[in-house]
Amino acid sequence: MADQLKELAEIPRDFLRDGTMFLNRCTKPDRREFIKISQAVGIGFIVMGTIGYFVKLIHIPVNNILVGGA
């Protein structure tokens, strides 16, 4: 019974230890790295927006044909 309680108490302790180790290893990105990440995210937004625009552009006339302008 005592072993089970120790194992149960060890789970949150391991989680906290792993979390603090992770946070200690994290570093703030430098200017060059931040600009690269920002550019990648911006290009992703543009690509996904363009794809969504063309899907919507194609979907509207197809929907009108299928529904029949009801």
Side-chain angles (χ1 to χ4, degrees):
M1 183 72 175
D3 292 336
Q4 290 177 344
L5 289 175
K6 285 182 182 179
E7 289 178 18
L8 193 61
E10 192 173 311
I11 293 171
R13 196 174 318 133
D14 288 342
F15 178 75
L16 288 173
R17 187 179 66 232
D18 291 342
T20 53
M21 284 174 43
F22 174 76
L23 288 176
N24 288 336
R25 291 193 71 184
C26 291
T27 58
K28 187 175 177 181
D30 59 352
R31 187 174 186 83
R32 193 173 131 253
E33 186 180 6
F34 179 76
I35 289 172
K36 278 191 157 197
I37 292 170
S38 299
Q39 287 174 342
V41 169
I43 290 171
F45 270 107
I46 290 170
V47 167
M48 291 303 290
T50 305
I51 291 171
Y53 175 75
F54 283 115
V55 167
K56 189 71 170 176
L57 194 66
I58 293 169
H59 179 264
I60 291 171
V62 170
N63 192 26
N64 285 339
I65 292 170
L66 293 175
V67 174

